[in-house]
Amino acid sequence: MESKVDNKQEKKSFKDSKEFSFFKKIIAVPYLLVLLALLMPLANVSCSFDEAQSKPILEASVYDLALGLNLDESLASDASKQLHNMIDKNEATQKKLTSIMPNFPKMEPMSYLWGIAIAVLLAAAFTFISPLGSLTMGMLAMFSLWAMLMQLGGLCSAMGIPMLKVDPGVGIYAASALILVGSAMNLAVIIRPIVEGVRAKRIAKKK
């Protein structure tokens, strides 16, 4: 009986320790930093026709895409002229582009991308309530980011302009890294008490 009581006290003291409480609080930090990482380009669009051109013709963040980009303002000046010339000369491309972007050169706002920012905020909030919930929301946000990148690639293909190439931007790498850090910290919070409990039981058995 005494060993069981000691075991419970050890587990309770670990979960209620200041170090453990502090660690749980700072898990929210990497998730909140993701919101800043999303200010950086999610995707870089380049033109494969000109291999010598190292600079992307378009760099878009999640917030840019959520609000709706004006391609005339966002594209490099030369690229904007080439795009208009290509569309004006090719009726098939013009029809495809119009069906995808009725208000060309302004892209339709991808309002659902705000859901990624909300998922990140929920991941930060859940660190104080449920580490498992925080872990789930963080991973959901990361998968959504990469799914969005693939969708952008599909959008360029659907335009009928094969020279356009979509690559991951620094923002998606930074956001993913921060989410993985937060996820690792959440896993530590979930697993550590279990490990401590198993260790305490083994010590109690030896006694």
Side-chain angles (χ1 to χ4, degrees), residues 13 130 140 147 173:
S13 62
S130 168
L140 180 63
Y173 287 122

Side-chain angles (χ1 to χ4, degrees), residues 68-115:
L69 278 172
N70 187 319
L71 294 179
D72 280 348
E73 296 174 358
S74 303
L75 282 171
S77 58
D78 292 342
S80 180
K81 290 177 183 177
Q82 289 176 9
L83 180 62
H84 277 283
N85 288 335
M86 192 180 298
I87 292 167
D88 293 339
K89 292 177 181 178
N90 193 324
E91 189 176 344
T93 301
Q94 188 175 2
K95 286 182 180 179
K96 284 183 181 180
L97 192 59
T98 305
S99 64
I100 297 168
M101 298 169 58
N103 298 316
F104 178 81
K106 181 166 176 62
M107 292 178 66
E108 296 300 307
M110 300 180 181
S111 304
Y112 59 88
L113 288 179
W114 293 115

Side-chain angles (χ1 to χ4, degrees), residues 17-104:
S17 66
K18 291 181 180 179
E19 292 81 4
F20 189 71
S21 299
F22 176 72
F23 185 77
K24 286 179 69 176
K25 288 177 182 177
I26 63 172
I27 297 174
V29 174
Y31 288 117
L32 293 175
L33 289 175
V34 171
L35 297 174
L36 295 178
L38 295 179
L39 288 168
M40 295 185 282
L42 168 75
N44 300 325
V45 180
S46 56
C47 184
S48 59
F49 181 77
D50 185 5
E51 295 293 341
Q53 184 179 2
S54 58
K55 188 177 179 180
I57 60 174
L58 174 66
E59 295 178 311
S61 71
V62 168
Y63 304 119
D64 292 332
L65 294 169
L67 293 170
L69 278 172
N70 187 319
L71 294 179
D72 280 348
E73 296 174 358
S74 303
L75 282 171
S77 58
D78 292 342
S80 180
K81 290 177 183 177
Q82 289 176 9
L83 180 62
H84 277 283
N85 288 335
M86 192 180 298
I87 292 167
D88 293 339
K89 292 177 181 178
N90 193 324
E91 189 176 344
T93 301
Q94 188 175 2
K95 286 182 180 179
K96 284 183 181 180
L97 192 59
T98 305
S99 64
I100 297 168
M101 298 169 58
N103 298 316
F104 178 81

Side-chain angles (χ1 to χ4, degrees), residues 28 31-35 38 63 114-128 134 137-138 141:
Y31 288 117
L32 293 175
L33 289 175
V34 171
L35 297 174
L38 295 179
Y63 304 119
W114 293 115
I116 294 175
I118 292 171
V120 171
L121 283 172
L122 288 174
F126 279 155
T127 58
F128 302 99
S134 176
M137 295 307 298

